[in-house]
Amino acid sequence: MPSTSQFIRAAKSAEGTDLWITGEIGVDVRFADLQKAFTYYSQENTGELILNIYSHGGYLDEATAFYDWVATSGTKFKVRIWGTAMSAATVIAAAAGRENIEIAQNASWMIHETAGGTDQMRTIGNDSLVRVYRALTGKKEKEIRDMIAATTTLNAQDAVAHGFAGKVMKNTMRLAAMYEAEPIKIENKPAMAETTNKLKVEAKVKLGTMEAVRAAMGEGVTIET
């Protein structure tokens, strides 16, 4: 039986397709599921793909996996921040590029250093954050390092002023649209309001450990060695 995610939802809109993520990155919102949803809905060619984010963050490696996949695949989308984008959620948002990020008037944007793990792991994580935020804002490395060391929270206007977002959202956007969206199906048929399209995903890989491949690609993927 295919499982669904209450934390990744989708619905049609006048602009195209709205995706909503509202949980913890890497726990409620996994890279494999987000990648699958983006691949499916971006191939529909029914207008713009808009990722709506309300998240307190989560695991950085899941967020950087999505960030690097977007850069490699050339996937184009817009981001709208509702309530808050914190920690790893800001890396998800950054994948869209500053000019494609809108933030609601009363929303916030929070960045900080990585936590947990070894000193080496934290150093690698912080270096990744610096690269992501420098590419997003154009700021110098020292300024970014100072901001994440201080655990910086910005309101909507300051997020735009510092280059983390392109503009403050207009009041006409509807947060209520999130509750009209349907949870996506995790296996091979991401659900969406008013759609009956099906998803077929095949991945050809050459690896010795099939369990590692399934863990990386998620359920419902055909693997051919």
Side-chain angles (χ1 to χ4, degrees):
M1 179 181 296
S3 59
T4 61
S5 173
Q6 297 292 331
F7 302 97
I8 308 177
R9 307 174 73 89
K12 292 291 187 181
S13 71
E15 297 169 273
T17 299
D18 274 303
L19 288 175
W20 298 82
I21 59 175
T22 57
E24 183 179 357
I25 308 302
V27 178
D28 306 313
V29 180
R30 301 186 305 162
F31 162 60
D33 299 333
L34 198 55
Q35 178 198 38
K36 187 179 296 184
F38 265 71
T39 299
Y40 176 69
Y41 293 123
S42 63
Q43 289 176 350
E44 282 207 315
N45 297 319
T46 56
E48 292 188 294
L49 183 59
I50 301 163
L51 180 63
N52 298 270
I53 298 175
Y54 168 61
S55 173
H56 289 187
Y59 288 91
L60 178 61
D61 54 353
E62 291 274 341
T64 54
F66 177 77
Y67 181 93
D68 290 337
W69 173 74
V70 167
T72 301
S73 65
T75 302
K76 303 297 182 183
F77 62 102
K78 287 185 176 181
V79 165
R80 289 179 179 147
I81 307 297
W82 303 91
T84 192
M86 295 183 177
S87 186
T90 65
V91 176
I92 296 285
R98 177 175 58 191
E99 69 280 3
N100 294 314
I101 301 174
E102 298 181 8
I103 183 167
Q105 290 185 356
N106 295 304
S108 62
W109 177 283
M110 188 274 274
I111 60 175
H112 66 143
E113 290 184 330
T114 57
T118 65
D119 290 343
Q120 184 180 27
M121 291 169 65
R122 289 191 294 273
T123 297
I124 291 171
N126 290 335
D127 289 345
S128 295
L129 289 173
V130 170
R131 285 191 292 271
V132 168
Y133 296 145
R134 287 194 69 191
L136 180 64
T137 66
K139 289 181 179 294
K140 294 182 178 180
E141 179 177 343
K142 183 181 184 306
E143 186 174 2
I144 294 296
R145 289 194 183 276
D146 288 346
M147 292 182 78
I148 63 174
T151 304
T152 301
T153 301
L154 304 171
N155 63 25
Q157 291 74 23
D158 287 341
V160 172
H162 281 278
F164 290 101
K167 63 180 179 180
V168 177
M169 203 181 303
K170 295 181 179 179
N171 285 329
T172 54
M173 302 298 178
R174 294 192 309 128
L175 178 59
M178 177 177 65
Y179 302 102
E180 300 168 1
E182 291 185 6
I184 69 164
K185 294 188 183 300
I186 298 305
E187 298 252 339
N188 64 347
K189 298 178 183 179
M192 180 168 58
E194 301 177 3
T195 184
T196 57
N197 289 344
K198 297 181 179 180
L199 170 67
K200 181 179 180 181
V201 178
E202 293 188 0
K204 295 184 179 181
V205 295
K206 189 175 183 180
L207 290 175
T209 305
M210 303 312 295
E211 289 76 10
V213 177
R214 294 190 181 96
M217 299 299 294
E219 298 294 330
V221 177
T222 300
I223 300 173
E224 178 180 317
T225 58

PDB file of all heavy atoms in Angstrom, residues 59-98:
ATOM      1  N   TYR A  59      17.814  18.412   9.079  1.00  0.00           N
ATOM      2  CA  TYR A  59      19.130  17.870   8.774  1.00  0.00           C
ATOM      3  C   TYR A  59      19.737  18.556   7.544  1.00  0.00           C
ATOM      4  O   TYR A  59      19.143  18.593   6.475  1.00  0.00           O
ATOM      5  CB  TYR A  59      19.039  16.368   8.538  1.00  0.00           C
ATOM      6  CG  TYR A  59      18.781  15.594   9.812  1.00  0.00           C
ATOM      7  CD1 TYR A  59      17.478  15.321  10.225  1.00  0.00           C
ATOM      8  CD2 TYR A  59      19.839  15.176  10.612  1.00  0.00           C
ATOM      9  CE1 TYR A  59      17.242  14.629  11.407  1.00  0.00           C
ATOM     10  CE2 TYR A  59      19.605  14.477  11.795  1.00  0.00           C
ATOM     11  CZ  TYR A  59      18.306  14.209  12.178  1.00  0.00           C
ATOM     12  OH  TYR A  59      18.073  13.534  13.343  1.00  0.00           O
ATOM     13  N   LEU A  60      20.965  19.055   7.722  1.00  0.00           N
ATOM     14  CA  LEU A  60      21.620  19.809   6.655  1.00  0.00           C
ATOM     15  C   LEU A  60      21.925  18.943   5.442  1.00  0.00           C
ATOM     16  O   LEU A  60      21.774  19.399   4.305  1.00  0.00           O
ATOM     17  CB  LEU A  60      22.912  20.446   7.180  1.00  0.00           C
ATOM     18  CG  LEU A  60      23.729  21.235   6.152  1.00  0.00           C
ATOM     19  CD1 LEU A  60      22.927  22.400   5.585  1.00  0.00           C
ATOM     20  CD2 LEU A  60      25.038  21.734   6.772  1.00  0.00           C
ATOM     21  N   ASP A  61      22.363  17.690   5.653  1.00  0.00           N
ATOM     22  CA  ASP A  61      22.728  16.862   4.505  1.00  0.00           C
ATOM     23  C   ASP A  61      21.540  16.598   3.588  1.00  0.00           C
ATOM     24  O   ASP A  61      21.699  16.519   2.359  1.00  0.00           O
ATOM     25  CB  ASP A  61      23.378  15.550   4.948  1.00  0.00           C
ATOM     26  CG  ASP A  61      22.545  14.766   5.939  1.00  0.00           C
ATOM     27  OD1 ASP A  61      21.505  15.278   6.404  1.00  0.00           O
ATOM     28  OD2 ASP A  61      22.949  13.628   6.279  1.00  0.00           O
ATOM     29  N   GLU A  62      20.337  16.486   4.147  1.00  0.00           N
ATOM     30  CA  GLU A  62      19.148  16.320   3.304  1.00  0.00           C
ATOM     31  C   GLU A  62      18.903  17.586   2.482  1.00  0.00           C
ATOM     32  O   GLU A  62      18.524  17.521   1.314  1.00  0.00           O
ATOM     33  CB  GLU A  62      17.930  16.023   4.184  1.00  0.00           C
ATOM     34  CG  GLU A  62      17.950  14.671   4.845  1.00  0.00           C
ATOM     35  CD  GLU A  62      17.380  13.563   3.973  1.00  0.00           C
ATOM     36  OE1 GLU A  62      16.643  13.869   3.015  1.00  0.00           O
ATOM     37  OE2 GLU A  62      17.672  12.396   4.270  1.00  0.00           O
ATOM     38  N   ALA A  63      19.121  18.746   3.104  1.00  0.00           N
ATOM     39  CA  ALA A  63      18.905  20.009   2.403  1.00  0.00           C
ATOM     40  C   ALA A  63      19.955  20.250   1.323  1.00  0.00           C
ATOM     41  O   ALA A  63      19.631  20.698   0.216  1.00  0.00           O
ATOM     42  CB  ALA A  63      18.910  21.161   3.405  1.00  0.00           C
ATOM     43  N   THR A  64      21.220  19.962   1.624  1.00  0.00           N
ATOM     44  CA  THR A  64      22.263  20.170   0.617  1.00  0.00           C
ATOM     45  C   THR A  64      22.145  19.166  -0.526  1.00  0.00           C
ATOM     46  O   THR A  64      22.504  19.472  -1.666  1.00  0.00           O
ATOM     47  CB  THR A  64      23.661  20.091   1.243  1.00  0.00           C
ATOM     48  OG1 THR A  64      23.817  18.857   1.950  1.00  0.00           O
ATOM     49  CG2 THR A  64      23.905  21.262   2.180  1.00  0.00           C
ATOM     50  N   ALA A  65      21.620  17.972  -0.236  1.00  0.00           N
ATOM     51  CA  ALA A  65      21.375  17.009  -1.313  1.00  0.00           C
ATOM     52  C   ALA A  65      20.375  17.588  -2.309  1.00  0.00           C
ATOM     53  O   ALA A  65      20.563  17.504  -3.533  1.00  0.00           O
ATOM     54  CB  ALA A  65      20.866  15.693  -0.744  1.00  0.00           C
ATOM     55  N   PHE A  66      19.308  18.188  -1.795  1.00  0.00           N
ATOM     56  CA  PHE A  66      18.318  18.823  -2.661  1.00  0.00           C
ATOM     57  C   PHE A  66      18.936  20.016  -3.397  1.00  0.00           C
ATOM     58  O   PHE A  66      18.737  20.174  -4.609  1.00  0.00           O
ATOM     59  CB  PHE A  66      17.121  19.287  -1.843  1.00  0.00           C
ATOM     60  CG  PHE A  66      16.077  20.028  -2.640  1.00  0.00           C
ATOM     61  CD1 PHE A  66      15.192  19.340  -3.453  1.00  0.00           C
ATOM     62  CD2 PHE A  66      16.004  21.415  -2.590  1.00  0.00           C
ATOM     63  CE1 PHE A  66      14.241  20.017  -4.208  1.00  0.00           C
ATOM     64  CE2 PHE A  66      15.056  22.100  -3.335  1.00  0.00           C
ATOM     65  CZ  PHE A  66      14.180  21.398  -4.143  1.00  0.00           C
ATOM     66  N   TYR A  67      19.689  20.832  -2.688  1.00  0.00           N
ATOM     67  CA  TYR A  67      20.321  22.019  -3.277  1.00  0.00           C
ATOM     68  C   TYR A  67      21.223  21.623  -4.447  1.00  0.00           C
ATOM     69  O   TYR A  67      21.146  22.217  -5.537  1.00  0.00           O
ATOM     70  CB  TYR A  67      21.129  22.740  -2.198  1.00  0.00           C
ATOM     71  CG  TYR A  67      21.816  24.003  -2.650  1.00  0.00           C
ATOM     72  CD1 TYR A  67      21.198  25.248  -2.498  1.00  0.00           C
ATOM     73  CD2 TYR A  67      23.087  23.969  -3.202  1.00  0.00           C
ATOM     74  CE1 TYR A  67      21.824  26.412  -2.903  1.00  0.00           C
ATOM     75  CE2 TYR A  67      23.724  25.128  -3.612  1.00  0.00           C
ATOM     76  CZ  TYR A  67      23.089  26.345  -3.470  1.00  0.00           C
ATOM     77  OH  TYR A  67      23.727  27.494  -3.881  1.00  0.00           O
ATOM     78  N   ASP A  68      22.065  20.624  -4.238  1.00  0.00           N
ATOM     79  CA  ASP A  68      22.989  20.196  -5.297  1.00  0.00           C
ATOM     80  C   ASP A  68      22.256  19.509  -6.439  1.00  0.00           C
ATOM     81  O   ASP A  68      22.640  19.644  -7.607  1.00  0.00           O
ATOM     82  CB  ASP A  68      24.053  19.262  -4.719  1.00  0.00           C
ATOM     83  CG  ASP A  68      25.044  19.986  -3.812  1.00  0.00           C
ATOM     84  OD1 ASP A  68      25.189  21.216  -3.965  1.00  0.00           O
ATOM     85  OD2 ASP A  68      25.653  19.329  -2.957  1.00  0.00           O
ATOM     86  N   TRP A  69      21.190  18.767  -6.112  1.00  0.00           N
ATOM     87  CA  TRP A  69      20.406  18.123  -7.176  1.00  0.00           C
ATOM     88  C   TRP A  69      19.743  19.164  -8.067  1.00  0.00           C
ATOM     89  O   TRP A  69      19.741  19.023  -9.294  1.00  0.00           O
ATOM     90  CB  TRP A  69      19.347  17.202  -6.572  1.00  0.00           C
ATOM     91  CG  TRP A  69      18.407  16.659  -7.609  1.00  0.00           C
ATOM     92  CD1 TRP A  69      18.666  15.696  -8.538  1.00  0.00           C
ATOM     93  CD2 TRP A  69      17.063  17.102  -7.857  1.00  0.00           C
ATOM     94  NE1 TRP A  69      17.568  15.497  -9.350  1.00  0.00           N
ATOM     95  CE2 TRP A  69      16.570  16.347  -8.950  1.00  0.00           C
ATOM     96  CE3 TRP A  69      16.246  18.053  -7.267  1.00  0.00           C
ATOM     97  CZ2 TRP A  69      15.290  16.522  -9.447  1.00  0.00           C
ATOM     98  CZ3 TRP A  69      14.970  18.223  -7.755  1.00  0.00           C
ATOM     99  CH2 TRP A  69      14.498  17.467  -8.850  1.00  0.00           C
ATOM    100  N   VAL A  70      19.197  20.213  -7.484  1.00  0.00           N
ATOM    101  CA  VAL A  70      18.580  21.287  -8.269  1.00  0.00           C
ATOM    102  C   VAL A  70      19.605  21.917  -9.196  1.00  0.00           C
ATOM    103  O   VAL A  70      19.340  22.153 -10.378  1.00  0.00           O
ATOM    104  CB  VAL A  70      17.961  22.354  -7.343  1.00  0.00           C
ATOM    105  CG1 VAL A  70      17.597  23.612  -8.133  1.00  0.00           C
ATOM    106  CG2 VAL A  70      16.723  21.798  -6.657  1.00  0.00           C
ATOM    107  N   ALA A  71      20.806  22.198  -8.673  1.00  0.00           N
ATOM    108  CA  ALA A  71      21.856  22.808  -9.487  1.00  0.00           C
ATOM    109  C   ALA A  71      22.267  21.895 -10.636  1.00  0.00           C
ATOM    110  O   ALA A  71      22.520  22.352 -11.756  1.00  0.00           O
ATOM    111  CB  ALA A  71      23.062  23.139  -8.615  1.00  0.00           C
ATOM    112  N   THR A  72      22.315  20.587 -10.372  1.00  0.00           N
ATOM    113  CA  THR A  72      22.733  19.632 -11.397  1.00  0.00           C
ATOM    114  C   THR A  72      21.644  19.389 -12.430  1.00  0.00           C
ATOM    115  O   THR A  72      21.911  19.286 -13.635  1.00  0.00           O
ATOM    116  CB  THR A  72      23.121  18.293 -10.734  1.00  0.00           C
ATOM    117  OG1 THR A  72      24.182  18.519  -9.816  1.00  0.00           O
ATOM    118  CG2 THR A  72      23.579  17.280 -11.781  1.00  0.00           C
ATOM    119  N   SER A  73      20.398  19.299 -11.975  1.00  0.00           N
ATOM    120  CA  SER A  73      19.288  18.968 -12.877  1.00  0.00           C
ATOM    121  C   SER A  73      18.764  20.179 -13.639  1.00  0.00           C
ATOM    122  O   SER A  73      18.074  20.023 -14.651  1.00  0.00           O
ATOM    123  CB  SER A  73      18.128  18.359 -12.069  1.00  0.00           C
ATOM    124  OG  SER A  73      17.581  19.311 -11.166  1.00  0.00           O
ATOM    125  N   GLY A  74      19.069  21.383 -13.143  1.00  0.00           N
ATOM    126  CA  GLY A  74      18.554  22.581 -13.800  1.00  0.00           C
ATOM    127  C   GLY A  74      17.083  22.831 -13.525  1.00  0.00           C
ATOM    128  O   GLY A  74      16.442  23.600 -14.247  1.00  0.00           O
ATOM    129  N   THR A  75      16.540  22.214 -12.487  1.00  0.00           N
ATOM    130  CA  THR A  75      15.134  22.397 -12.136  1.00  0.00           C
ATOM    131  C   THR A  75      14.855  23.845 -11.736  1.00  0.00           C
ATOM    132  O   THR A  75      15.596  24.429 -10.953  1.00  0.00           O
ATOM    133  CB  THR A  75      14.754  21.474 -10.963  1.00  0.00           C
ATOM    134  OG1 THR A  75      15.017  20.111 -11.342  1.00  0.00           O
ATOM    135  CG2 THR A  75      13.284  21.623 -10.601  1.00  0.00           C
ATOM    136  N   LYS A  76      13.811  24.422 -12.308  1.00  0.00           N
ATOM    137  CA  LYS A  76      13.453  25.818 -12.032  1.00  0.00           C
ATOM    138  C   LYS A  76      12.165  25.870 -11.205  1.00  0.00           C
ATOM    139  O   LYS A  76      11.200  25.166 -11.506  1.00  0.00           O
ATOM    140  CB  LYS A  76      13.249  26.585 -13.339  1.00  0.00           C
ATOM    141  CG  LYS A  76      14.449  26.561 -14.282  1.00  0.00           C
ATOM    142  CD  LYS A  76      15.662  27.240 -13.673  1.00  0.00           C
ATOM    143  CE  LYS A  76      16.826  27.243 -14.652  1.00  0.00           C
ATOM    144  NZ  LYS A  76      18.060  27.834 -14.049  1.00  0.00           N
ATOM    145  N   PHE A  77      12.170  26.722 -10.195  1.00  0.00           N
ATOM    146  CA  PHE A  77      10.978  26.874  -9.372  1.00  0.00           C
ATOM    147  C   PHE A  77      11.056  28.167  -8.586  1.00  0.00           C
ATOM    148  O   PHE A  77      12.113  28.802  -8.487  1.00  0.00           O
ATOM    149  CB  PHE A  77      10.812  25.680  -8.421  1.00  0.00           C
ATOM    150  CG  PHE A  77      11.930  25.510  -7.429  1.00  0.00           C
ATOM    151  CD1 PHE A  77      11.777  25.918  -6.110  1.00  0.00           C
ATOM    152  CD2 PHE A  77      13.137  24.944  -7.802  1.00  0.00           C
ATOM    153  CE1 PHE A  77      12.795  25.757  -5.184  1.00  0.00           C
ATOM    154  CE2 PHE A  77      14.165  24.776  -6.882  1.00  0.00           C
ATOM    155  CZ  PHE A  77      13.996  25.186  -5.577  1.00  0.00           C
ATOM    156  N   LYS A  78       9.912  28.557  -8.018  1.00  0.00           N
ATOM    157  CA  LYS A  78       9.841  29.704  -7.132  1.00  0.00           C
ATOM    158  C   LYS A  78       9.638  29.231  -5.700  1.00  0.00           C
ATOM    159  O   LYS A  78       9.148  28.125  -5.475  1.00  0.00           O
ATOM    160  CB  LYS A  78       8.678  30.629  -7.528  1.00  0.00           C
ATOM    161  CG  LYS A  78       8.913  31.426  -8.800  1.00  0.00           C
ATOM    162  CD  LYS A  78       7.761  32.394  -9.037  1.00  0.00           C
ATOM    163  CE  LYS A  78       8.029  33.277 -10.255  1.00  0.00           C
ATOM    164  NZ  LYS A  78       6.916  34.241 -10.485  1.00  0.00           N
ATOM    165  N   VAL A  79      10.005  30.080  -4.756  1.00  0.00           N
ATOM    166  CA  VAL A  79       9.819  29.771  -3.340  1.00  0.00           C
ATOM    167  C   VAL A  79       9.020  30.879  -2.679  1.00  0.00           C
ATOM    168  O   VAL A  79       9.243  32.066  -2.947  1.00  0.00           O
ATOM    169  CB  VAL A  79      11.181  29.616  -2.624  1.00  0.00           C
ATOM    170  CG1 VAL A  79      11.010  29.665  -1.107  1.00  0.00           C
ATOM    171  CG2 VAL A  79      11.845  28.313  -3.027  1.00  0.00           C
ATOM    172  N   ARG A  80       8.099  30.496  -1.802  1.00  0.00           N
ATOM    173  CA  ARG A  80       7.379  31.447  -0.960  1.00  0.00           C
ATOM    174  C   ARG A  80       7.500  30.991   0.488  1.00  0.00           C
ATOM    175  O   ARG A  80       7.208  29.842   0.807  1.00  0.00           O
ATOM    176  CB  ARG A  80       5.909  31.555  -1.382  1.00  0.00           C
ATOM    177  CG  ARG A  80       5.766  32.282  -2.717  1.00  0.00           C
ATOM    178  CD  ARG A  80       4.355  32.393  -3.201  1.00  0.00           C
ATOM    179  NE  ARG A  80       4.341  33.121  -4.480  1.00  0.00           N
ATOM    180  CZ  ARG A  80       3.487  32.896  -5.473  1.00  0.00           C
ATOM    181  NH1 ARG A  80       2.538  31.991  -5.329  1.00  0.00           N
ATOM    182  NH2 ARG A  80       3.557  33.591  -6.585  1.00  0.00           N
ATOM    183  N   ILE A  81       7.972  31.892   1.338  1.00  0.00           N
ATOM    184  CA  ILE A  81       8.187  31.589   2.745  1.00  0.00           C
ATOM    185  C   ILE A  81       6.996  32.077   3.555  1.00  0.00           C
ATOM    186  O   ILE A  81       6.620  33.241   3.498  1.00  0.00           O
ATOM    187  CB  ILE A  81       9.465  32.269   3.278  1.00  0.00           C
ATOM    188  CG1 ILE A  81      10.672  31.926   2.398  1.00  0.00           C
ATOM    189  CG2 ILE A  81       9.704  31.894   4.730  1.00  0.00           C
ATOM    190  CD1 ILE A  81      11.033  30.477   2.374  1.00  0.00           C
ATOM    191  N   TRP A  82       6.407  31.154   4.341  1.00  0.00           N
ATOM    192  CA  TRP A  82       5.282  31.482   5.215  1.00  0.00           C
ATOM    193  C   TRP A  82       5.693  31.187   6.651  1.00  0.00           C
ATOM    194  O   TRP A  82       6.238  30.127   6.944  1.00  0.00           O
ATOM    195  CB  TRP A  82       4.065  30.632   4.873  1.00  0.00           C
ATOM    196  CG  TRP A  82       3.604  30.746   3.461  1.00  0.00           C
ATOM    197  CD1 TRP A  82       3.990  29.976   2.395  1.00  0.00           C
ATOM    198  CD2 TRP A  82       2.666  31.681   2.934  1.00  0.00           C
ATOM    199  NE1 TRP A  82       3.345  30.364   1.256  1.00  0.00           N
ATOM    200  CE2 TRP A  82       2.517  31.424   1.559  1.00  0.00           C
ATOM    201  CE3 TRP A  82       1.921  32.715   3.507  1.00  0.00           C
ATOM    202  CZ2 TRP A  82       1.668  32.149   0.733  1.00  0.00           C
ATOM    203  CZ3 TRP A  82       1.067  33.448   2.687  1.00  0.00           C
ATOM    204  CH2 TRP A  82       0.948  33.157   1.320  1.00  0.00           C
ATOM    205  N   GLY A  83       5.420  32.082   7.558  1.00  0.00           N
ATOM    206  CA  GLY A  83       5.727  31.832   8.967  1.00  0.00           C
ATOM    207  C   GLY A  83       7.206  31.931   9.258  1.00  0.00           C
ATOM    208  O   GLY A  83       7.675  32.903   9.841  1.00  0.00           O
ATOM    209  N   THR A  84       7.962  30.928   8.821  1.00  0.00           N
ATOM    210  CA  THR A  84       9.408  30.964   8.997  1.00  0.00           C
ATOM    211  C   THR A  84      10.092  29.931   8.113  1.00  0.00           C
ATOM    212  O   THR A  84       9.508  28.894   7.778  1.00  0.00           O
ATOM    213  CB  THR A  84       9.806  30.701  10.468  1.00  0.00           C
ATOM    214  OG1 THR A  84      11.186  31.008  10.646  1.00  0.00           O
ATOM    215  CG2 THR A  84       9.550  29.265  10.873  1.00  0.00           C
ATOM    216  N   ALA A  85      11.311  30.232   7.735  1.00  0.00           N
ATOM    217  CA  ALA A  85      12.242  29.261   7.154  1.00  0.00           C
ATOM    218  C   ALA A  85      13.488  29.331   8.022  1.00  0.00           C
ATOM    219  O   ALA A  85      14.149  30.364   8.092  1.00  0.00           O
ATOM    220  CB  ALA A  85      12.574  29.593   5.699  1.00  0.00           C
ATOM    221  N   MET A  86      13.792  28.245   8.710  1.00  0.00           N
ATOM    222  CA  MET A  86      14.931  28.212   9.624  1.00  0.00           C
ATOM    223  C   MET A  86      15.924  27.146   9.190  1.00  0.00           C
ATOM    224  O   MET A  86      15.558  26.141   8.580  1.00  0.00           O
ATOM    225  CB  MET A  86      14.474  27.891  11.050  1.00  0.00           C
ATOM    226  CG  MET A  86      13.586  28.917  11.694  1.00  0.00           C
ATOM    227  SD  MET A  86      13.209  28.425  13.415  1.00  0.00           S
ATOM    228  CE  MET A  86      12.253  29.844  13.952  1.00  0.00           C
ATOM    229  N   SER A  87      17.193  27.395   9.505  1.00  0.00           N
ATOM    230  CA  SER A  87      18.206  26.359   9.438  1.00  0.00           C
ATOM    231  C   SER A  87      18.214  25.669   8.064  1.00  0.00           C
ATOM    232  O   SER A  87      18.374  26.323   7.039  1.00  0.00           O
ATOM    233  CB  SER A  87      17.951  25.358  10.577  1.00  0.00           C
ATOM    234  OG  SER A  87      18.959  24.406  10.678  1.00  0.00           O
ATOM    235  N   ALA A  88      18.066  24.348   8.032  1.00  0.00           N
ATOM    236  CA  ALA A  88      18.134  23.595   6.783  1.00  0.00           C
ATOM    237  C   ALA A  88      17.070  24.009   5.778  1.00  0.00           C
ATOM    238  O   ALA A  88      17.266  23.881   4.567  1.00  0.00           O
ATOM    239  CB  ALA A  88      18.020  22.096   7.073  1.00  0.00           C
ATOM    240  N   ALA A  89      15.939  24.519   6.259  1.00  0.00           N
ATOM    241  CA  ALA A  89      14.880  24.956   5.344  1.00  0.00           C
ATOM    242  C   ALA A  89      15.345  26.132   4.476  1.00  0.00           C
ATOM    243  O   ALA A  89      14.884  26.289   3.348  1.00  0.00           O
ATOM    244  CB  ALA A  89      13.631  25.339   6.118  1.00  0.00           C
ATOM    245  N   THR A  90      16.260  26.954   4.995  1.00  0.00           N
ATOM    246  CA  THR A  90      16.765  28.073   4.195  1.00  0.00           C
ATOM    247  C   THR A  90      17.637  27.574   3.049  1.00  0.00           C
ATOM    248  O   THR A  90      17.725  28.222   2.011  1.00  0.00           O
ATOM    249  CB  THR A  90      17.559  29.068   5.060  1.00  0.00           C
ATOM    250  OG1 THR A  90      18.745  28.444   5.574  1.00  0.00           O
ATOM    251  CG2 THR A  90      16.718  29.600   6.203  1.00  0.00           C
ATOM    252  N   VAL A  91      18.290  26.430   3.242  1.00  0.00           N
ATOM    253  CA  VAL A  91      19.107  25.848   2.176  1.00  0.00           C
ATOM    254  C   VAL A  91      18.204  25.316   1.066  1.00  0.00           C
ATOM    255  O   VAL A  91      18.509  25.462  -0.124  1.00  0.00           O
ATOM    256  CB  VAL A  91      20.023  24.741   2.734  1.00  0.00           C
ATOM    257  CG1 VAL A  91      20.800  24.056   1.619  1.00  0.00           C
ATOM    258  CG2 VAL A  91      20.984  25.322   3.764  1.00  0.00           C
ATOM    259  N   ILE A  92      17.085  24.693   1.465  1.00  0.00           N
ATOM    260  CA  ILE A  92      16.091  24.263   0.476  1.00  0.00           C
ATOM    261  C   ILE A  92      15.627  25.463  -0.343  1.00  0.00           C
ATOM    262  O   ILE A  92      15.567  25.422  -1.570  1.00  0.00           O
ATOM    263  CB  ILE A  92      14.879  23.606   1.174  1.00  0.00           C
ATOM    264  CG1 ILE A  92      15.295  22.327   1.911  1.00  0.00           C
ATOM    265  CG2 ILE A  92      13.751  23.342   0.180  1.00  0.00           C
ATOM    266  CD1 ILE A  92      15.554  21.140   1.039  1.00  0.00           C
ATOM    267  N   ALA A  93      15.297  26.553   0.340  1.00  0.00           N
ATOM    268  CA  ALA A  93      14.826  27.757  -0.343  1.00  0.00           C
ATOM    269  C   ALA A  93      15.896  28.341  -1.241  1.00  0.00           C
ATOM    270  O   ALA A  93      15.614  28.782  -2.367  1.00  0.00           O
ATOM    271  CB  ALA A  93      14.380  28.800   0.684  1.00  0.00           C
ATOM    272  N   ALA A  94      17.140  28.343  -0.777  1.00  0.00           N
ATOM    273  CA  ALA A  94      18.237  28.955  -1.522  1.00  0.00           C
ATOM    274  C   ALA A  94      18.454  28.308  -2.879  1.00  0.00           C
ATOM    275  O   ALA A  94      18.985  28.943  -3.804  1.00  0.00           O
ATOM    276  CB  ALA A  94      19.525  28.897  -0.703  1.00  0.00           C
ATOM    277  N   ALA A  95      18.032  27.056  -3.025  1.00  0.00           N
ATOM    278  CA  ALA A  95      18.216  26.356  -4.298  1.00  0.00           C
ATOM    279  C   ALA A  95      17.495  27.047  -5.447  1.00  0.00           C
ATOM    280  O   ALA A  95      17.874  26.904  -6.603  1.00  0.00           O
ATOM    281  CB  ALA A  95      17.728  24.906  -4.163  1.00  0.00           C
ATOM    282  N   ALA A  96      16.453  27.821  -5.134  1.00  0.00           N
ATOM    283  CA  ALA A  96      15.680  28.500  -6.174  1.00  0.00           C
ATOM    284  C   ALA A  96      16.395  29.739  -6.699  1.00  0.00           C
ATOM    285  O   ALA A  96      16.090  30.210  -7.803  1.00  0.00           O
ATOM    286  CB  ALA A  96      14.305  28.891  -5.648  1.00  0.00           C
ATOM    287  N   GLY A  97      17.319  30.296  -5.916  1.00  0.00           N
ATOM    288  CA  GLY A  97      17.967  31.549  -6.299  1.00  0.00           C
ATOM    289  C   GLY A  97      17.227  32.745  -5.732  1.00  0.00           C
ATOM    290  O   GLY A  97      16.001  32.737  -5.616  1.00  0.00           O
ATOM    291  N   ARG A  98      17.972  33.769  -5.337  1.00  0.00           N
ATOM    292  CA  ARG A  98      17.382  34.917  -4.641  1.00  0.00           C
ATOM    293  C   ARG A  98      16.220  35.547  -5.390  1.00  0.00           C
ATOM    294  O   ARG A  98      15.188  35.884  -4.789  1.00  0.00           O
ATOM    295  CB  ARG A  98      18.467  35.985  -4.398  1.00  0.00           C
ATOM    296  CG  ARG A  98      17.944  37.255  -3.733  1.00  0.00           C
ATOM    297  CD  ARG A  98      19.097  38.200  -3.409  1.00  0.00           C
ATOM    298  NE  ARG A  98      19.848  38.554  -4.598  1.00  0.00           N
ATOM    299  CZ  ARG A  98      21.031  39.185  -4.569  1.00  0.00           C
ATOM    300  NH1 ARG A  98      21.580  39.492  -3.416  1.00  0.00           N
ATOM    301  NH2 ARG A  98      21.642  39.477  -5.686  1.00  0.00           N
TER     302      ARG A  98
END
